[in-house]
Amino acid sequence: MQLHPADHGRAWIEIDLEAVTRNARALSMRARVPLLPMVKDDAYGLGAVPVARALEALDPWGYGVVTVAEGEELRGAGIGRRVLMTCPAEANARTMHALRAAGITPSFGEPKAIRMWMMTGGGDWHLSVDTGMNYAGVRWDEVDTLAGELGACPPSGAFTHFHSAELDDGSMEVQAQRFRDALDVLPTRPQVLHVENSAAIVRAASSEWTFVRPGAFIYGVARGGTMLPEPAVHLRARVVDIHDVPAGESVSYDATWTATRPSRIATLGAGYATGCRRALGNKGSAILHGRRVPVVGALTMNFTMVDVTGLACERGDVATLIGADGDELIVVNDVAAASGLSPYEILTALRSGVPRVYV
Ligand SMILES: *Cc1c(COP(=O)(O)O)cnc(C)c1O
């Protein structure tokens, strides 16, 4: 790769904001409703502010966050659109004040927090309905226990979250029905209703709700079906050293790989402290000069070794550990499969210690 004359150091991630925007647009067109892009956890490691700024072009309904601080960060960057906190907010006055000060729409699922929101001034909020995750919000079959609060301070929105939308196991349909049943019990039907994550949009196509809440797909993670995202993240690392390793000698800690022939081993300047996963030792691959080369031996904190026998390369060359180079592509899902981790873990791990370059 000769694309990067600027010295970004030994390793960096390139974030393709146009790919992010195209992935988001594709989902919105499929669902036929606006988006609430989930930009929690720093947009899954891609950078919440740059991602949200790029997605402004799609005129989204708002942005989804999990913490007050994430919402405040968007506000601090001048994003004026709605921000919805999908994690039920804590029932304390300080949180209520912070939500209101930042203009964040909270969600609640228990009576104390709803009452506190009402007592501190009320305003827009969304009811979090748990239809099977068993992790947040009021159970769909216990919504009636909130009748008093819902009557006194009706939510402007309501939502639920699928646990297995990527599986064809019927659970999505069961959860959607539970959500409809919960809505029937509410004193008034909220104006804003939302349910689908990336996998549900890919599976179900057009939405019957107000907007959809995708995350992973926007950032380049395939979520089942035949609809594939464009890669949005490229993890690059330079060749920092090259060694001729005689047959019979090992590479890296614990000597988990031994050369069976005279081998040329390139050391890439990214390890498990810089975005790579240790589980890729002897399993992953990289792209160098448009060709796939296998990872050999254990990763170290700062280095990943690849077998470049027979490939012309030198120190300073740029390898790709995630993403595209030429016609070769290593998608996040491949890295996840090779390391036995979820693609979400692969993406969010990129936050640690790797400079970001937006392209
Ligand atoms: C993270 C999250 C999403 C997005 O899920 P993806 O699988 O990344 O599309 C949607 N809704 C809620 C409540 C979430 O927490």
Side-chain angles (χ1 to χ4, degrees), residues 38 40 44 86 161 197-198 213-216 344:
M38 294 300 296
K40 63 189 179 189
Y44 295 42
T86 59
H161 190 47
N197 56 6
S198 300
R213 293 191 314 266
Y344 296 73

Side-chain angles (χ1 to χ4, degrees), residues 48-135:
V49 167
V51 162
R53 284 203 180 120
L55 292 176
E56 283 289 285
L58 300 185
D59 197 16
W61 188 89
Y63 297 104
V65 299
V66 162
T67 67
V68 176
E70 289 172 349
E72 289 170 339
E73 189 193 0
L74 294 177
R75 292 291 180 243
I79 299 208
R81 207 171 282 275
R82 294 185 194 89
V83 173
L84 175 68
M85 187 165 124
T86 59
C87 175
E90 266 180 85
N92 65 59
R94 196 167 44 82
T95 301
M96 301 297 157
H97 173 74
L99 286 164
R100 206 165 263 112
I104 300 168
T105 305
S107 59
F108 303 118
E110 49 100 15
K112 190 175 165 211
I114 302 170
R115 283 200 299 270
M116 192 163 274
W117 182 246
M118 184 169 60
M119 276 156 19
T120 56
D124 277 355
W125 68 278
H126 289 201
L127 179 67
S128 171
V129 182
D130 197 307
T131 56
M133 277 285 279
N134 278 309
Y135 82 139

Side-chain angles (χ1 to χ4, degrees), residues 27 36 38 40-41 44 66 86-87 135 159-162 195-199 201 213-219 223 344:
L27 288 181
L36 180 99
M38 294 300 296
K40 63 189 179 189
D41 299 291
Y44 295 42
V66 162
T86 59
C87 175
Y135 82 139
F159 67 100
T160 194
H161 190 47
F162 292 133
V195 176
E196 294 102 330
N197 56 6
S198 300
I201 302 163
R213 293 191 314 266
F217 187 98
I218 298 180
Y219 309 121
R223 296 303 288 139
Y344 296 73

Side-chain angles (χ1 to χ4, degrees), residues 176-224:
Q177 190 51 48
R178 287 174 176 174
F179 184 59
R180 287 186 208 100
D181 292 346
L183 295 177
D184 289 343
V185 176
L186 296 180
T188 50
R189 191 178 169 91
Q191 279 185 334
V192 179
L193 302 168
H194 46 106
V195 176
E196 294 102 330
N197 56 6
S198 300
I201 302 163
V202 169
R203 263 169 67 74
S206 66
S207 174
E208 68 180 275
W209 312 107
T210 315
F211 58 75
V212 289
R213 293 191 314 266
F217 187 98
I218 298 180
Y219 309 121
V221 174
R223 296 303 288 139

